[in-house]
Amino acid sequence: MCGGTWWREYFADAVASDDKDGLAEDAIEAVAAEYARRLARRTGMLVHCSMCRRPPVCRT
């Protein structure tokens, strides 16, 4: 639905930069936001993003 190569341009600056880690994180956030925008537009639904993490490991 939101496939293609549109997301690659977000990483072009990160590849060309000395600060790859910082710009890559920015690119990841930008791609996620754009994907959500496109998905919302094409489905007519509201997209809500939330952070997920692994539950703590219980050791006995």
Side-chain angles (χ1 to χ4, degrees):
M1 173 179 288
C2 298
T5 59
W6 61 268
W7 55 270
R8 292 180 184 178
E9 65 190 63
Y10 288 88
F11 289 92
D13 290 337
V15 170
S17 174
D18 292 335
D19 181 24
K20 289 182 179 22
D21 291 335
L23 288 177
E25 282 295 318
D26 291 345
I28 290 166
E29 293 291 327
V31 167
E34 177 64 16
Y35 182 83
R37 187 188 68 75
R38 289 173 181 235
L39 187 61
R41 185 181 70 221
R42 292 184 183 176
T43 63
M45 300 179 80
L46 176 66
V47 176
H48 176 77
C49 299
S50 59
M51 298 298 290
C52 298
R53 66 181 188 117
R54 292 182 182 178
V57 176
C58 295
R59 297 180 188 204
T60 57

